[in-house]
Structures are given as structure tokens and as C-alpha cells.
Amino acid sequence: MASEITYAEVKFKNASPAAVVEVPPETKRHEHHPQKYPPWLPWLISLLLLLVCIALIPALLVVPCSRSGDQPTALQQKFMEWQCVLAVPQGKGRGWVCCPRGWKHFQNSCYYLSDDLMGWPESEQNCTGMGSHLVVINTRAEQDFLTKELQKIARAVNYYIGLRAQLLGQWQWVDKTPYNEMAAFWRKGEPSNVSAEMCSGIHTSINSEIHNWNDIRCEDHYRICEAAAVSV
């Protein structure tokens, strides 16, 4: 018996437009079959999407502590936990001001009030190591804020500020801010300007007044560190 022969018409490059290509019947039959997927594939895709959403939740809830594209400050590099307050109404740009957890916030600065004692060089290094410096007091409002915070300690101690005399009676702030005697807050009779007391600090007590600076010996005292607050 003669074998069955299947014919196909092929359209060549120079063939007339009327030429038609016919695909063999067997090929046509396979093209009409829908592609089948494993029954578990939709569940796998749903699970992966759920895991991605869970991974994104922390990033959406944590307030970023740096502006987009900005280099992080030294303070930001040292601390992972932050406290933020809303400084301007929502919808008006960046309105959050942040300080490391445990620091005090006032205006555009963050303040660290130590609970341990150090000498002047160690105190200065400790503040610098945290991306800050010994506090530089520029305004009466800032001095009033620190005085009220230190009154809560309820004991008579000294806290280093960033004011030191390199030569007797020649006071200089650690950040090179010019010293203004008219904007200083010395206690009555201070500074005594003796060679044994070349450092300065805030003397605390329950009834401490706003004028509470002492010149003191550069030995072990508490300290106040200051750094610029982070805006987001």
C-alpha cells in the first residue's frame, strides 16, 4: 500500500502575494493547546509577594534620619535609635527634628547630660567621639533651658561647658565662637581668674539661677555635649 504523503505550501521571497503557507495539521493541533502551570505556582507567587511586603514594613515605619542624597553627619553615624518631634505643620516640607535617644532637644540642637565624671581632655574627647562637642551657649534662651534641665538633678555639682582659658582670663569656646563677656552667665564673684581654675562649668542646685557659671579646676566633673539636631 502506498504511504501517505503530506504536502505543505511554502511562500518564498519571490513568490506571488497569493501564495499561502499551510502548517501541517499536526502542528496546528499543538498550537491550540493552552499552556499548563503547576497548581502550586500561584500560591508560591502570593507567598513571595507577602514576604516582600513584610520586609518593606520596617522601612516605611522608621523615620529616616538623613535627607535624601545627603551625607550622614557624624552624630548619625554613631547612633541607631532616635527620637523625633514635629517642628512644622504636616504638608509643608521637612518638619521633623531628631536627636539620639536619651539626648535633650532644644531648638536646633541636641544635648547630652552625662552621668559619669571625666577630666577636661577626656570630656572633650568623649563628646567628639559621639559626633558632638562640649556645649557652646550662645543665647539666654539656651542657658535658661539647660539651667532648668539641670535643676532636675537636685544636687550641687559642676557640668563642663565648652569654655576654657588657654591663658589666664582669656576665655575661648571650643568651636572658636568669639567669647562675649556681655553674653556670659557667671555666678556672682566669678570667674575668679586664678591659674588653678582654667576650665568652666555650670554649677547646679535646686534653686540654681540663670547666672550659674563657675571657673573650675580641670579635673573630674560631669559634662554637657551638644550637636546639631537632624532635620528630616
Side-chain angles (χ1 to χ4, degrees):
M1 183 174 68
S3 59
E4 182 179 354
I5 300 175
T6 302
Y7 293 93
E9 293 184 7
V10 180
K11 181 178 180 180
F12 293 98
K13 182 176 181 181
N14 296 325
S16 64
V20 178
V21 176
E22 277 192 20
V23 180
E26 285 296 320
T27 306
K28 287 184 178 179
R29 196 159 45 245
H30 286 296
E31 286 181 348
H32 284 69
H33 288 174
Q35 189 172 358
K36 295 182 179 180
Y37 298 97
W40 46 263
L41 185 59
W43 294 97
L44 178 61
I45 294 174
S46 299
L47 179 60
L48 291 175
L49 289 174
L50 178 62
L51 292 175
V52 170
C53 292
I54 293 174
L56 288 175
I57 288 175
L60 295 174
L61 292 180
V62 175
V63 178
C65 287
S66 64
R67 298 183 178 183
S68 177
D70 288 354
Q71 291 296 323
T73 64
L75 191 70
Q76 290 172 253
Q77 295 174 352
K78 299 294 182 181
F79 295 93
M80 297 297 295
E81 296 186 24
W82 294 73
Q83 294 175 312
C84 301
V85 296
L86 189 61
V88 299
Q90 291 183 349
K92 294 188 177 181
R94 300 176 186 227
W96 293 91
V97 178
C98 305
C99 290
R101 185 176 296 277
W103 289 50
K104 310 292 183 181
H105 166 249
F106 178 71
Q107 294 183 346
N108 296 318
S109 294
C110 304
Y111 301 89
Y112 171 72
L113 279 59
S114 79
D115 56 6
D116 61 333
L117 303 170
M118 290 183 179
W120 172 274
E122 295 78 14
S123 295
E124 191 172 25
Q125 291 173 9
N126 178 258
C127 292
T128 302
M130 294 190 293
S132 60
H133 54 75
L134 284 170
V135 62
V136 175
I137 301 173
N138 299 300
T139 65
R140 184 182 180 91
E142 185 179 21
Q143 169 69 11
D144 186 55
F145 166 77
L146 293 173
T147 297
K148 290 178 179 178
E149 287 295 326
L150 293 174
Q151 283 176 345
K152 302 174 184 177
I153 297 171
R155 63 179 184 270
V157 292
N158 290 312
Y159 277 78
Y160 274 131
I161 61 176
L163 187 65
R164 186 177 184 183
Q166 297 296 333
L167 299 173
L168 190 62
Q170 297 183 16
W171 297 97
Q172 179 67 55
W173 291 106
V174 292
D175 69 345
K176 307 304 179 183
T177 296
Y179 170 68
N180 182 2
E181 187 174 357
M182 301 302 296
F185 299 91
W186 297 103
R187 297 175 71 190
K188 186 176 181 179
E190 301 286 347
S192 53
N193 287 327
V194 295
S195 59
E197 298 179 347
M198 302 288 278
C199 293
S200 66
I202 293 178
H203 182 76
T204 70
S205 65
I206 298 177
N207 299 318
S208 179
E209 298 181 355
I210 194 170
H211 289 84
N212 50 22
W213 297 1
N214 278 359
D215 55 349
I216 54 180
R217 295 176 179 271
C218 301
E219 51 192 28
D220 287 353
H221 296 289
Y222 297 96
R223 62 196 173 280
I224 305 174
C225 302
E226 178 186 8
V230 175
S231 298
V232 296

